[in-house]
Amino acid sequence: MTIRINPSQIITNSEINIPGSKSETNRLLILQALYPNLQLGNASFSDDSQVVVDALKTGSDTINVGHAGTAMRFLTAYFSTAENRIVTLTGSDRMTQRPIKILVDALRSIGAEIEYLGTEGFPPLKIVGQPLSESFVELPANISSQYISALLLIAPKLENGLKISLLGNITSRPYINMTLALLSQIGVTSTFVGNTIIVAPRRDIPSVTFTVESDWSAVSYYYSIVALSPLGWRLRLKSFRKNSVQGDSKLMAIYKLLGVDSSFEDDYLVLSRIAIDQKNIELDLNDTPDIAQTIAVTCLALQIDCRLRGLHTLSIKETDRLKAMKIEIEKLGGRADISDDELRVYPTANLNENITIETYHDHRMAMSFAPIGLKTSIFIADAMVVTKSYPNFWEDLVKIGFDIDRWFLGRCQW
């Protein structure tokens, strides 16, 4: 499905109920499989989370996770500990190009039996579930935090827990802290000192219901929308916590620089457009790389030069996000320079109109470029890729005033 977004204006003081955090939900689903007494409220209903739900429920010997990288990593660790299960874990063509060797090596070092069925270091994998006997593992620190979180999630179920030594500078520390915070909230003890994490064993937990916070990664698109709106415009977003465990809550500080003030009213996050005089911005997003695309598009539309660093993990996402961003930004008339770790955006005074933004099977490409439709008419190709993390995204934009046309190859579903 391709949609067209026509220049429009959001309705000030609109309210949106953003779905539960995909990052929290996927972690909690693994913990729920390990500890059935755990119940979830406000869980994400994204495609990625449904992949995890289906994988944990199925009795099939072959599980296909599609494009869901988080599911591939978390399930690789989970099925390594699932006694009496032999599972083939596979995915889309793109998934078979996304490296998993570091995680497999780490799991093998603590006793996992995992075999590559294709190219060495990449899915698909054959996993023979069994008790994992060792309690110490070391791995590079400058990798996707999902490798580390995958190990942390199974750690309390290991007989002696797990000690993880991280070598070098840590990438995406907030996501590691999120995993540890969720473990703590269900009663698992851990420490994280320097580059060493220790998780104590925990056989069982009491019955507990955990309410998932709304998704801070998803709220980034609303920060961008407010930044591109008139002074004084506001949005109210439900079910957010001031002291969030989600790393992308750093959006509050980042978007203050881009003209958005954040405040809390009961359980609402309130975004307000404020004045700024910003000509350029430089940010290290090593801890929060998932919001880089949104920030880059915001800066393009606000005519702010930006330099975003710490993006070395973006090349192994659903697509090579750095290359994709360069292509699409330059279609709109801006200029973008990329390296292995960096994206620089040099905006244009006049955005090109009626450009089709390709999404490359990447939900964040679709959602990060959507706000620029407030400034110029654009097309978004394969728009329903957003179901990976936020199925109701387009409907929610219409609710707050976006003017969106849509074309289907068949009967309209909307």
Side-chain angles (χ1 to χ4, degrees), residues 78 80 106 190 236 250 256 275 279 305 332 339 357 387 392 397 406:
Y78 172 78
S80 294
S190 67
R236 290 166 50 84
K250 287 188 175 181
K256 191 72 173 273
K279 302 301 182 186
D305 288 3
L332 285 162
S339 68
I357 301 298
T387 61
N392 292 340
L397 291 196
R406 55 245 182 221

Side-chain angles (χ1 to χ4, degrees), residues 128-296:
V128 180
Q130 59 191 21
L132 304 186
S133 55
E134 301 297 324
S135 59
F136 173 77
V137 65
E138 63 180 20
L139 66 165
N142 65 340
I143 56 171
S144 168
S145 62
Q146 291 178 7
Y147 294 147
I148 300 164
S149 287
L151 294 167
L152 293 175
L153 291 170
I154 63 170
K157 274 295 191 174
L158 305 185
E159 183 177 356
N160 298 306
L162 189 63
K163 179 179 180 180
I164 301 176
S165 176
L166 301 174
L167 309 176
N169 295 321
I170 299 172
T171 295
S172 301
R173 184 184 290 265
Y175 285 97
I176 300 172
N177 288 334
M178 175 200 293
T179 306
L180 293 173
L182 295 176
L183 288 172
S184 176
Q185 290 178 49
I186 67 167
V188 174
T189 301
S190 67
T191 60
F192 188 3
V193 179
N195 278 36
T196 301
I197 308 173
I198 299 175
V199 179
R202 177 91 189 209
R203 184 175 298 275
D204 297 303
I205 64 169
S207 295
V208 60
T209 298
F210 190 99
T211 301
V212 178
E213 183 186 16
S214 290
D215 196 328
W216 275 95
S217 299
V219 84
S220 70
Y221 314 116
Y222 293 97
Y223 271 98
S224 187
I225 287 165
V226 173
L228 304 188
S229 296
L231 286 177
W233 250 236
R234 292 169 22 120
L235 276 181
R236 290 166 50 84
L237 308 169
K238 188 173 175 57
S239 299
F240 284 92
R241 301 173 189 145
K242 191 172 185 177
N243 298 315
S244 176
V245 300
Q246 296 179 50
D248 286 347
S249 60
K250 287 188 175 181
L251 285 161
M252 289 185 283
I254 291 171
Y255 267 84
K256 191 72 173 273
L257 304 173
L258 298 174
V260 183
D261 183 61
S262 308
S263 60
F264 290 86
E265 298 175 0
D266 298 321
D267 68 339
Y268 281 90
L269 169 64
V270 181
L271 309 183
S272 304
R273 180 69 165 91
I274 58 174
I276 57 167
D277 183 22
Q278 197 84 31
K279 302 301 182 186
N280 56 72
I281 189 171
E282 182 172 337
L283 299 168
D284 185 341
L285 300 179
N286 186 65
D287 286 345
T288 54
D290 280 347
I291 59 177
Q293 292 151 287
T294 311
I295 295 168

Side-chain angles (χ1 to χ4, degrees), residues 1 8 31 53 166 364:
M1 179 188 78
S8 51
L31 291 175
V53 170
L166 301 174
R364 299 204 188 282

Side-chain angles (χ1 to χ4, degrees), residues 66-127:
H67 297 298
T70 306
M72 173 60 72
R73 292 157 180 171
F74 289 1
L75 292 171
T76 296
Y78 172 78
F79 283 117
S80 294
T81 69
E83 296 182 50
N84 304 316
R85 287 291 303 271
I86 300 177
V87 170
T88 294
L89 196 57
T90 188
S92 64
D93 288 344
R94 173 61 180 170
M95 188 60 64
T96 64
Q97 301 167 11
R98 298 178 70 176
I100 200 165
K101 185 177 189 299
I102 291 173
L103 177 58
V104 170
D105 286 350
L107 287 165
R108 283 174 169 175
S109 75
I110 58 174
E113 185 177 337
I114 304 173
E115 175 187 349
Y116 295 111
L117 298 180
T119 304
E120 184 80 8
F122 298 86
L125 307 173
K126 179 181 177 182
I127 305 171

